[in-house]
Amino acid sequence: MPATHTPDETPAPHPVVSPALAHRKALDRLLSLQHEAGCWEGEMVWNTMILSQYVIVCRIVGRTLPEPTRAAMTRHYGSTVTPEGGWGLHAESGPSPYCTVLAHIALRLLGNRADDPLCADSAAWLRSQPGGARAVPTWGKLWLAVAGLHDYRAINPLPPELFLLPRRLPVHPDRLYCHTRSIYQAMAYLYGIRFSGDLGHPLTDELRRDLLGESRPGARPPCRSDRRLLGADAQVPPGRALRAAFDVLAVYERHPLRRTRARALARCLARVTHEQEVTREFGLSPVSSLLNVLVLHASGAAPTAVDRALTAVDHWRWTDQERGIRYAGARSQTWDTAFAVEALLAHGPTDTGDPTDAAVLTALRRGCGFLRDAQVTDEVPHPEVTARAPAAGGWCFSDGAHRWPVSDCTAEAAATLLHARHLLPETTVPDEGRLRQATAFLLHRQNRDGGFGSYEPRRGSRLLEAANPSEMFSDCMVEGSYTECTGSALVAFTALARPEDPEHREEMDRAIRHGAHFLLRRQCKDGSWPAAWGVNRIYGTLFAVRGLRATGMPPTHPRLARAARWLESVQRADGGWGEHHQGCTENRYVEHPDSQPVMTAWALLALLDITGPGSASVRDGVRWLCERQADDGSWHQKAVTGVFFGTAMLDYRFYAEYFPLWALGAHLAALGRAG
C-alpha cells in the first residue's frame, strides 16, 4: 500500500504571475478558510501513536467503537502505512517499531484479522527488526504492559516515590518540563500498581504470538534482561549513570516499601485528578490525557467519570474522508489565527473601496475577536498540587479551553491584537487590565539568561537531560531559553510598552535589553540562529530577526547583515529555500532536496526586514513563490516544518496558507514604501 509521506515530484513552475496577483489569490484562499468562530486552524500532524493509544484505552475501559468509526480509523492506518509495512514517527520518517507495535495492536482491536495485509505486513516487519517488539523504548514497553502483553519487570523502573521527594531538591519531578512531568505522573501510577488491562481472549494470545513470538519454538516471554533491549527508535539511549540508577531502582521494585508506595500512589493520583479538573478533562495534551483516563479507570473512579474523561479526548480528533479518523498532538487555533491576521495586515486594506478590502476587515474583526476571547483571564485553582505557573493573562496554543498558556502564543496574540488596533474598533482589543495581565505573564517566563521559556521559566538544570528515560526524545526534561519564544516576546513588548501602562514599563525595558542580548549571544558564527520548535535554522533566524528589529536594531547592524548573508548563502539555485528536519537532531543546517514554500516565506520575511525588497535574493524568492502557487491560491508544502521534544517532527498544515501570503504582502508593502 503506498505511503502518503512519500514526497511528490517537484511541481513544475507555472508561468510567472505578478506578486500582486499571487497575493490576491492567496488572500482569497485564506479568507475562505476562516472558521465560523473567527479563528483559523490547520491540523498539526504527528503520527499514529495517539490514535493507537486511544483504541487501546477504549478496549481496556470497555467503550465499544461503532463500525463506521472503526472503518475510518482503519482507513487512516491504510493512508499512512510506509512501504515497509510499518508506521513512522512522522510524515517523512521510515517505520518506527514503537508506532508500528501500537498500530498493529490497534488494528487487531478494530476488528482486522491477522492475515489482513496491514496486520500481516506490520507483524512481518516487526519480526525482521533486531529485538522485534521487545526492543521498543520504555514508553512502548509500558503500553504493552498496560495492554496485558508485557512483563513490568522488563521495563525500566518508573517509581511513583519520586513525587514524594522534597520539592527543594534539584531532581524533584516538578523541576521537569510540564509535558514530561504530566506524562510521568500518570505513567508512575500505572507502573506503581502494575496495572494490566484485558484486551480479551483469544486476541491477547494472538497478539503475544504475533508481536513477541511466545508460541514459536525457542521463544521466551519478556524478562528483566529486556529492559536494556533497544531498537531503531532509541535516538537517546540512557547513559551509564542512568542505567546504573535503573538497576538500583529495579532492586527496590522487587520489594517496595508498602506504606511509602501507597503515599506515592495517592500523590500521583491527586496530581492526575487535579490536572483533569483544571483542564476541563482535556489534559495538557492527548498523550497525557489518555494516560490520565487509564489512571482514573485503574484507581476505581466511577465509570461516568472515566467515560467523561475519555469523551474529552475527542477534543483532539480530526477526521475527513480521505485520511479517516486520527488525533492531533495539539490544537492550534490561537497560533494559526495570530499569524493569519498578521498575514492579512502585512499589506492591509486600503481606502479604494475594493470589496476585498471590506472582506479583509470583516475577517480581521472576527479573527481579533476570537483572539481577544481566547485569553486566559483567571488563575488555575490550587496550582501547588501540580506546580502550575501563573496562567492569567496568557494565551494557549489552542482556544484556551485547557488553560495551559504559552509564552510565544501569548506574545504573538497580544502583538497581533495591538498591530490591528489602528484598523479595528476598540472592542476587538483587550482592555488595559488584560494587556497588563499579558505583560506580567510574559515577564514571568523570562529566564535569568534573558531568554524565554515556553510554558514556564526554567526550573531545573540542563544536567537533568542526562536522566531522560524516554530513549527516543531529546531536550524533553527541562524548559529552556528559546530563540523563537524570545523573538516573539520582544515583538510583543515593543507593542505592549504603552504610556498608559507605566507600571511595567521599566520591567519591559529591562526584559527587552536582556532578551536582545540573549539573541545576540545565541547567534551562530555563520549568522543563523538555532530553533527548538521549527525546522530549523531558517525558522530560528526569522524569529531572531523579528525580535531584534522590533527593539529598534537598524537593518545595517553587523549581526543582522551577517544573518542576511547566511540566508542568501543557503538560497537554492531555483530561488527558493528548503531545509531538512535532519538538521534539528544534528544541530546544523541541512538542505532539503527541494525548495519549500514555507521555508521560502520564512527566509523572505527575515530578508525583507534587513535588506528590503530590492535585493536579488528577495526578487528570486518572490518569483519562486509566484511560480509555485497553485490555481486555487495554495502552495504544496512537502516537508515537515515543526519540532517537539527535540526529535518529534510535526507537519503544521496551515503554515503554507499564511506564511507565503505574509511574505508576499510584506514584499508589496515594502515596494510601496520604497516607491
Side-chain angles (χ1 to χ4, degrees):
M1 191 171 296
T4 58
H5 69 262
T6 302
D8 299 331
E9 294 298 323
T10 302
H14 293 272
V16 178
V17 299
S18 70
L21 178 57
H23 179 266
R24 172 57 65 89
K25 290 165 62 179
L27 180 65
D28 290 341
R29 177 174 172 83
L30 186 64
L31 294 177
S32 73
L33 296 172
Q34 189 172 24
H35 292 199
E36 186 175 339
C39 66
W40 283 268
E41 184 190 14
E43 183 180 0
M44 193 191 79
V45 181
W46 190 13
N47 55 42
T48 57
M49 179 193 81
I50 301 171
L51 171 61
S52 301
Q53 293 172 351
Y54 176 85
V55 173
I56 294 169
V57 170
C58 284
R59 173 60 65 92
I60 290 174
V61 305
R63 173 175 288 192
T64 301
L65 296 171
E67 194 282 330
T69 298
R70 288 185 278 117
M73 290 176 171
T74 298
R75 186 163 66 250
H76 183 66
Y77 287 111
S79 72
T80 53
V81 66
T82 71
E84 299 88 345
W87 286 267
L89 283 168
H90 58 84
E92 291 186 89
S93 78
S96 150
Y98 170 64
C99 289
T100 302
V101 163
L102 293 178
H104 182 92
I105 296 170
L107 282 164
R108 295 301 314 278
L109 292 174
L110 290 171
N112 297 278
R113 293 166 49 92
D115 58 0
D116 177 271
L118 287 174
C119 298
D121 291 349
S122 58
W125 181 82
L126 284 167
R127 285 194 294 270
S128 73
Q129 299 305 297
R134 301 168 187 268
V136 295
T138 293
W139 283 25
K141 290 183 173 77
L142 180 77
W143 274 95
L144 285 169
V146 162
L149 302 172
H150 209 61
D151 191 327
Y152 273 96
R153 291 174 299 178
I155 303 174
N156 284 326
L158 299 169
E161 283 84 349
L162 291 175
F163 288 88
L164 293 178
L165 293 173
R167 279 181 163 159
R168 65 179 179 275
L169 292 181
V171 294
H172 190 280
D174 283 345
R175 295 187 180 273
L176 301 179
Y177 180 53
C178 60
H179 278 278
T180 301
R181 67 176 186 265
S182 294
I183 289 168
Y184 280 104
Q185 67 194 18
M187 283 186 171
Y189 183 90
L190 297 170
Y191 177 88
I193 66 170
R194 304 299 194 268
F195 173 75
S196 181
D198 184 6
L199 302 184
H201 294 285
L203 182 58
T204 296
D205 292 335
E206 293 175 5
L207 286 170
R208 284 176 176 158
R209 181 190 65 233
D210 292 345
L211 297 175
L212 303 171
E214 290 189 13
S215 65
R216 292 196 293 274
R220 57 169 176 76
C223 61
R224 288 191 180 98
S225 62
D226 288 342
R227 283 198 297 111
R228 294 190 175 185
L229 194 59
L230 293 174
D233 289 324
Q235 299 191 50
V236 191
R240 183 179 301 175
L242 184 56
R243 291 199 304 270
F246 283 146
D247 290 342
V248 171
L249 291 172
V251 173
Y252 169 77
E253 284 296 331
R254 296 178 188 178
H255 302 286
L257 299 175
R258 184 180 304 175
R259 291 184 179 179
T260 304
R261 174 58 53 95
R263 287 177 52 230
L265 291 171
R267 177 71 56 85
C268 289
L269 179 58
R271 294 174 69 101
V272 168
T273 303
H274 179 262
E275 170 70 5
Q276 289 295 104
E277 290 174 351
V278 301
T279 62
R280 302 180 177 94
E281 307 286 351
F282 297 135
L284 171 55
S285 75
V287 178
S288 57
S289 182
L290 283 167
L291 288 166
N292 291 350
V293 173
L294 285 176
V295 168
L296 295 176
H297 173 72
S299 68
T304 53
V306 175
D307 185 69
R308 185 171 63 249
L310 184 55
T311 299
V313 176
D314 285 340
H315 173 74
W316 315 93
R317 177 184 286 196
W318 283 79
T319 183
D320 55 47
Q321 185 61 35
E322 179 185 2
R323 301 181 66 237
I325 291 176
R326 64 275 188 193
Y327 289 81
R331 302 299 298 262
S332 57
Q333 294 99 320
T334 290
W335 188 246
D336 282 334
T337 302
F339 287 135
V341 170
E342 290 284 12
L344 295 178
L345 292 171
H347 187 246
T350 62
D351 297 323
T352 61
D354 189 326
T356 300
D357 289 344
V360 170
L361 279 172
T362 299
L364 287 171
R365 188 172 292 110
R366 294 173 60 215
C368 289
F370 172 85
L371 290 176
R372 176 202 62 206
D373 295 340
Q375 187 181 17
V376 177
T377 57
D378 58 343
E379 287 297 351
V380 171
H382 307 293
E384 69 281 355
V385 176
T386 49
R388 289 289 300 270
W395 274 265
C396 301
F397 189 67
S398 62
D399 59 2
H402 70 348
R403 293 196 290 183
W404 269 101
V406 194
S407 66
D408 53 354
C409 299
T410 299
E412 296 295 346
T416 295
L417 288 171
L418 290 167
H419 292 163
R421 202 172 198 173
H422 68 286
L423 287 172
L424 301 171
E426 291 294 319
T427 54
T428 63
V429 180
D431 60 30
E432 291 302 320
R434 287 193 178 190
L435 291 176
R436 282 193 287 271
Q437 276 189 318
T439 301
F441 177 93
L442 285 173
L443 289 169
H444 180 269
R445 268 65 185 175
Q446 190 169 30
N447 293 318
R448 291 181 180 179
D449 62 5
F452 284 74
S454 56
Y455 291 89
E456 300 158 341
R458 181 188 288 126
R459 297 176 173 187
S461 166
R462 288 285 298 174
L463 295 175
L464 286 172
E465 293 292 344
N468 177 4
S470 74
E471 300 156 349
M472 60 180 179
F473 302 119
S474 65
D475 301 321
C476 62
M477 293 299 286
V478 295
E479 273 277 11
S481 287
Y482 307 111
T483 299
E484 309 98 296
C485 295
T486 305
S488 293
L490 296 183
V491 171
F493 280 142
T494 57
L496 286 163
R498 302 172 319 286
E500 56 266 37
D501 184 19
E503 176 185 351
H504 292 115
R505 185 58 190 260
E506 184 176 343
E507 285 185 273
M508 277 192 281
D509 288 344
R510 184 167 58 250
I512 289 170
R513 289 194 305 273
H514 291 172
H517 289 155
F518 168 81
L519 290 179
L520 293 176
R521 291 194 306 273
R522 194 73 182 268
Q523 189 177 23
C524 301
K525 290 182 179 179
D526 62 8
S528 67
W529 274 269
W533 306 103
V535 180
N536 166 28
R537 294 297 178 88
I538 298 177
Y539 187 77
T541 300
L542 166 62
F543 280 83
V545 169
R546 287 179 72 222
L548 292 172
R549 289 287 288 124
T551 68
M553 180 177 286
T556 55
H557 192 283
R559 293 299 194 92
L560 294 179
R562 188 193 303 174
R565 287 194 298 271
W566 178 78
L567 287 168
E568 292 170 347
S569 74
V570 297
Q571 187 173 22
R572 292 170 52 80
D574 61 5
W577 282 263
E579 187 169 1
H580 196 274
H581 65 80
Q582 182 182 348
C584 298
T585 57
E586 298 181 1
N587 192 26
R588 64 188 181 95
Y589 177 80
V590 176
E591 186 177 272
H592 196 278
D594 300 306
S595 295
Q596 303 291 330
V598 173
M599 282 86 170
T600 298
W602 290 342
L604 285 172
L605 286 167
L607 283 173
L608 284 165
D609 232 1
I610 304 172
T611 67
S615 73
S617 287
V618 169
R619 291 196 301 270
D620 289 345
V622 168
R623 175 184 50 78
W624 188 92
L625 284 179
C626 294
E627 289 177 346
R628 267 64 178 189
Q629 187 180 35
D631 292 338
D632 63 358
S634 67
W635 284 268
H636 179 48
Q637 172 72 22
K638 296 187 297 183
V640 293
T641 52
V643 191
F644 182 72
F645 269 10
T647 57
M649 306 302 157
L650 306 169
D651 179 11
Y652 286 84
R653 288 295 174 89
F654 244 50
Y655 276 9
E657 303 292 352
Y658 49 70
F659 277 119
L661 170 65
W662 189 353
L664 289 174
H667 174 67
L668 293 171
L671 285 176
R673 290 192 297 270

PDB file of all heavy atoms in Angstrom, residues 561-577:
ATOM      1  N   ALA A 561      23.256  42.008   9.275  1.00  0.00           N
ATOM      2  CA  ALA A 561      23.891  41.837   7.966  1.00  0.00           C
ATOM      3  C   ALA A 561      24.462  40.429   7.821  1.00  0.00           C
ATOM      4  O   ALA A 561      24.375  39.813   6.747  1.00  0.00           O
ATOM      5  CB  ALA A 561      24.992  42.881   7.777  1.00  0.00           C
ATOM      6  N   ARG A 562      25.023  39.901   8.916  1.00  0.00           N
ATOM      7  CA  ARG A 562      25.539  38.536   8.876  1.00  0.00           C
ATOM      8  C   ARG A 562      24.403  37.536   8.661  1.00  0.00           C
ATOM      9  O   ARG A 562      24.545  36.560   7.914  1.00  0.00           O
ATOM     10  CB  ARG A 562      26.273  38.217  10.173  1.00  0.00           C
ATOM     11  CG  ARG A 562      27.010  36.877  10.139  1.00  0.00           C
ATOM     12  CD  ARG A 562      27.463  36.451  11.522  1.00  0.00           C
ATOM     13  NE  ARG A 562      28.312  37.436  12.177  1.00  0.00           N
ATOM     14  CZ  ARG A 562      28.734  37.334  13.428  1.00  0.00           C
ATOM     15  NH1 ARG A 562      28.362  36.286  14.165  1.00  0.00           N
ATOM     16  NH2 ARG A 562      29.511  38.258  13.960  1.00  0.00           N
ATOM     17  N   ALA A 563      23.268  37.774   9.319  1.00  0.00           N
ATOM     18  CA  ALA A 563      22.108  36.895   9.130  1.00  0.00           C
ATOM     19  C   ALA A 563      21.632  36.923   7.680  1.00  0.00           C
ATOM     20  O   ALA A 563      21.292  35.878   7.105  1.00  0.00           O
ATOM     21  CB  ALA A 563      20.977  37.314  10.072  1.00  0.00           C
ATOM     22  N   ALA A 564      21.608  38.107   7.092  1.00  0.00           N
ATOM     23  CA  ALA A 564      21.177  38.221   5.697  1.00  0.00           C
ATOM     24  C   ALA A 564      22.130  37.472   4.773  1.00  0.00           C
ATOM     25  O   ALA A 564      21.693  36.774   3.838  1.00  0.00           O
ATOM     26  CB  ALA A 564      21.083  39.689   5.294  1.00  0.00           C
ATOM     27  N   ARG A 565      23.417  37.604   5.032  1.00  0.00           N
ATOM     28  CA  ARG A 565      24.385  36.896   4.184  1.00  0.00           C
ATOM     29  C   ARG A 565      24.199  35.386   4.299  1.00  0.00           C
ATOM     30  O   ARG A 565      24.316  34.660   3.301  1.00  0.00           O
ATOM     31  CB  ARG A 565      25.817  37.290   4.568  1.00  0.00           C
ATOM     32  CG  ARG A 565      26.209  38.688   4.123  1.00  0.00           C
ATOM     33  CD  ARG A 565      27.720  38.885   4.219  1.00  0.00           C
ATOM     34  NE  ARG A 565      28.221  38.748   5.582  1.00  0.00           N
ATOM     35  CZ  ARG A 565      28.308  39.735   6.463  1.00  0.00           C
ATOM     36  NH1 ARG A 565      27.906  40.954   6.128  1.00  0.00           N
ATOM     37  NH2 ARG A 565      28.796  39.523   7.672  1.00  0.00           N
ATOM     38  N   TRP A 566      23.918  34.915   5.507  1.00  0.00           N
ATOM     39  CA  TRP A 566      23.707  33.477   5.655  1.00  0.00           C
ATOM     40  C   TRP A 566      22.459  33.024   4.892  1.00  0.00           C
ATOM     41  O   TRP A 566      22.496  32.010   4.182  1.00  0.00           O
ATOM     42  CB  TRP A 566      23.558  33.099   7.134  1.00  0.00           C
ATOM     43  CG  TRP A 566      23.282  31.625   7.286  1.00  0.00           C
ATOM     44  CD1 TRP A 566      24.200  30.612   7.202  1.00  0.00           C
ATOM     45  CD2 TRP A 566      22.009  31.012   7.474  1.00  0.00           C
ATOM     46  NE1 TRP A 566      23.567  29.398   7.331  1.00  0.00           N
ATOM     47  CE2 TRP A 566      22.235  29.613   7.501  1.00  0.00           C
ATOM     48  CE3 TRP A 566      20.720  31.493   7.628  1.00  0.00           C
ATOM     49  CZ2 TRP A 566      21.191  28.699   7.688  1.00  0.00           C
ATOM     50  CZ3 TRP A 566      19.673  30.589   7.799  1.00  0.00           C
ATOM     51  CH2 TRP A 566      19.912  29.209   7.831  1.00  0.00           C
ATOM     52  N   LEU A 567      21.366  33.763   5.037  1.00  0.00           N
ATOM     53  CA  LEU A 567      20.147  33.400   4.303  1.00  0.00           C
ATOM     54  C   LEU A 567      20.391  33.384   2.801  1.00  0.00           C
ATOM     55  O   LEU A 567      19.925  32.484   2.089  1.00  0.00           O
ATOM     56  CB  LEU A 567      19.018  34.371   4.651  1.00  0.00           C
ATOM     57  CG  LEU A 567      18.398  34.212   6.042  1.00  0.00           C
ATOM     58  CD1 LEU A 567      17.511  35.407   6.374  1.00  0.00           C
ATOM     59  CD2 LEU A 567      17.591  32.916   6.125  1.00  0.00           C
ATOM     60  N   GLU A 568      21.106  34.355   2.318  1.00  0.00           N
ATOM     61  CA  GLU A 568      21.399  34.392   0.882  1.00  0.00           C
ATOM     62  C   GLU A 568      22.302  33.225   0.468  1.00  0.00           C
ATOM     63  O   GLU A 568      22.173  32.697  -0.638  1.00  0.00           O
ATOM     64  CB  GLU A 568      22.046  35.726   0.527  1.00  0.00           C
ATOM     65  CG  GLU A 568      21.082  36.905   0.659  1.00  0.00           C
ATOM     66  CD  GLU A 568      21.761  38.261   0.546  1.00  0.00           C
ATOM     67  OE1 GLU A 568      23.017  38.305   0.621  1.00  0.00           O
ATOM     68  OE2 GLU A 568      21.041  39.265   0.400  1.00  0.00           O
ATOM     69  N   SER A 569      23.177  32.810   1.380  1.00  0.00           N
ATOM     70  CA  SER A 569      24.111  31.730   1.036  1.00  0.00           C
ATOM     71  C   SER A 569      23.427  30.379   0.947  1.00  0.00           C
ATOM     72  O   SER A 569      23.946  29.469   0.268  1.00  0.00           O
ATOM     73  CB  SER A 569      25.236  31.667   2.076  1.00  0.00           C
ATOM     74  OG  SER A 569      24.776  31.113   3.305  1.00  0.00           O
ATOM     75  N   VAL A 570      22.285  30.203   1.632  1.00  0.00           N
ATOM     76  CA  VAL A 570      21.596  28.907   1.592  1.00  0.00           C
ATOM     77  C   VAL A 570      20.397  28.934   0.644  1.00  0.00           C
ATOM     78  O   VAL A 570      19.643  27.963   0.586  1.00  0.00           O
ATOM     79  CB  VAL A 570      21.152  28.457   3.003  1.00  0.00           C
ATOM     80  CG1 VAL A 570      22.359  28.247   3.903  1.00  0.00           C
ATOM     81  CG2 VAL A 570      20.165  29.442   3.621  1.00  0.00           C
ATOM     82  N   GLN A 571      20.220  30.037  -0.079  1.00  0.00           N
ATOM     83  CA  GLN A 571      19.163  30.067  -1.085  1.00  0.00           C
ATOM     84  C   GLN A 571      19.508  29.078  -2.194  1.00  0.00           C
ATOM     85  O   GLN A 571      20.641  28.989  -2.655  1.00  0.00           O
ATOM     86  CB  GLN A 571      19.012  31.475  -1.665  1.00  0.00           C
ATOM     87  CG  GLN A 571      17.822  31.643  -2.597  1.00  0.00           C
ATOM     88  CD  GLN A 571      17.614  33.091  -3.004  1.00  0.00           C
ATOM     89  OE1 GLN A 571      18.545  33.903  -2.937  1.00  0.00           O
ATOM     90  NE2 GLN A 571      16.406  33.441  -3.416  1.00  0.00           N
ATOM     91  N   ARG A 572      18.519  28.326  -2.637  1.00  0.00           N
ATOM     92  CA  ARG A 572      18.752  27.323  -3.671  1.00  0.00           C
ATOM     93  C   ARG A 572      18.793  27.972  -5.053  1.00  0.00           C
ATOM     94  O   ARG A 572      18.335  29.097  -5.243  1.00  0.00           O
ATOM     95  CB  ARG A 572      17.666  26.251  -3.600  1.00  0.00           C
ATOM     96  CG  ARG A 572      17.779  25.400  -2.330  1.00  0.00           C
ATOM     97  CD  ARG A 572      16.566  24.510  -2.129  1.00  0.00           C
ATOM     98  NE  ARG A 572      16.285  23.727  -3.309  1.00  0.00           N
ATOM     99  CZ  ARG A 572      16.917  22.605  -3.653  1.00  0.00           C
ATOM    100  NH1 ARG A 572      17.882  22.134  -2.876  1.00  0.00           N
ATOM    101  NH2 ARG A 572      16.598  21.947  -4.748  1.00  0.00           N
ATOM    102  N   ALA A 573      19.337  27.234  -5.993  1.00  0.00           N
ATOM    103  CA  ALA A 573      19.544  27.792  -7.332  1.00  0.00           C
ATOM    104  C   ALA A 573      18.243  28.208  -7.999  1.00  0.00           C
ATOM    105  O   ALA A 573      18.231  29.124  -8.823  1.00  0.00           O
ATOM    106  CB  ALA A 573      20.286  26.776  -8.205  1.00  0.00           C
ATOM    107  N   ASP A 574      17.119  27.553  -7.621  1.00  0.00           N
ATOM    108  CA  ASP A 574      15.838  27.900  -8.255  1.00  0.00           C
ATOM    109  C   ASP A 574      15.195  29.134  -7.633  1.00  0.00           C
ATOM    110  O   ASP A 574      14.123  29.560  -8.060  1.00  0.00           O
ATOM    111  CB  ASP A 574      14.874  26.715  -8.220  1.00  0.00           C
ATOM    112  CG  ASP A 574      14.525  26.267  -6.802  1.00  0.00           C
ATOM    113  OD1 ASP A 574      14.943  26.933  -5.830  1.00  0.00           O
ATOM    114  OD2 ASP A 574      13.826  25.244  -6.659  1.00  0.00           O
ATOM    115  N   GLY A 575      15.814  29.710  -6.597  1.00  0.00           N
ATOM    116  CA  GLY A 575      15.296  30.917  -5.965  1.00  0.00           C
ATOM    117  C   GLY A 575      14.592  30.690  -4.646  1.00  0.00           C
ATOM    118  O   GLY A 575      14.337  31.640  -3.906  1.00  0.00           O
ATOM    119  N   GLY A 576      14.259  29.425  -4.341  1.00  0.00           N
ATOM    120  CA  GLY A 576      13.575  29.134  -3.084  1.00  0.00           C
ATOM    121  C   GLY A 576      14.532  28.693  -1.995  1.00  0.00           C
ATOM    122  O   GLY A 576      15.754  28.661  -2.174  1.00  0.00           O
ATOM    123  N   TRP A 577      13.959  28.368  -0.856  1.00  0.00           N
ATOM    124  CA  TRP A 577      14.716  27.811   0.266  1.00  0.00           C
ATOM    125  C   TRP A 577      14.053  26.516   0.697  1.00  0.00           C
ATOM    126  O   TRP A 577      12.825  26.370   0.605  1.00  0.00           O
ATOM    127  CB  TRP A 577      14.729  28.769   1.459  1.00  0.00           C
ATOM    128  CG  TRP A 577      15.666  29.928   1.381  1.00  0.00           C
ATOM    129  CD1 TRP A 577      16.909  30.014   1.921  1.00  0.00           C
ATOM    130  CD2 TRP A 577      15.439  31.199   0.737  1.00  0.00           C
ATOM    131  NE1 TRP A 577      17.471  31.243   1.668  1.00  0.00           N
ATOM    132  CE2 TRP A 577      16.586  31.995   0.940  1.00  0.00           C
ATOM    133  CE3 TRP A 577      14.374  31.730   0.013  1.00  0.00           C
ATOM    134  CZ2 TRP A 577      16.699  33.284   0.449  1.00  0.00           C
ATOM    135  CZ3 TRP A 577      14.481  33.016  -0.487  1.00  0.00           C
ATOM    136  CH2 TRP A 577      15.630  33.784  -0.272  1.00  0.00           C
TER     137      TRP A 577
END
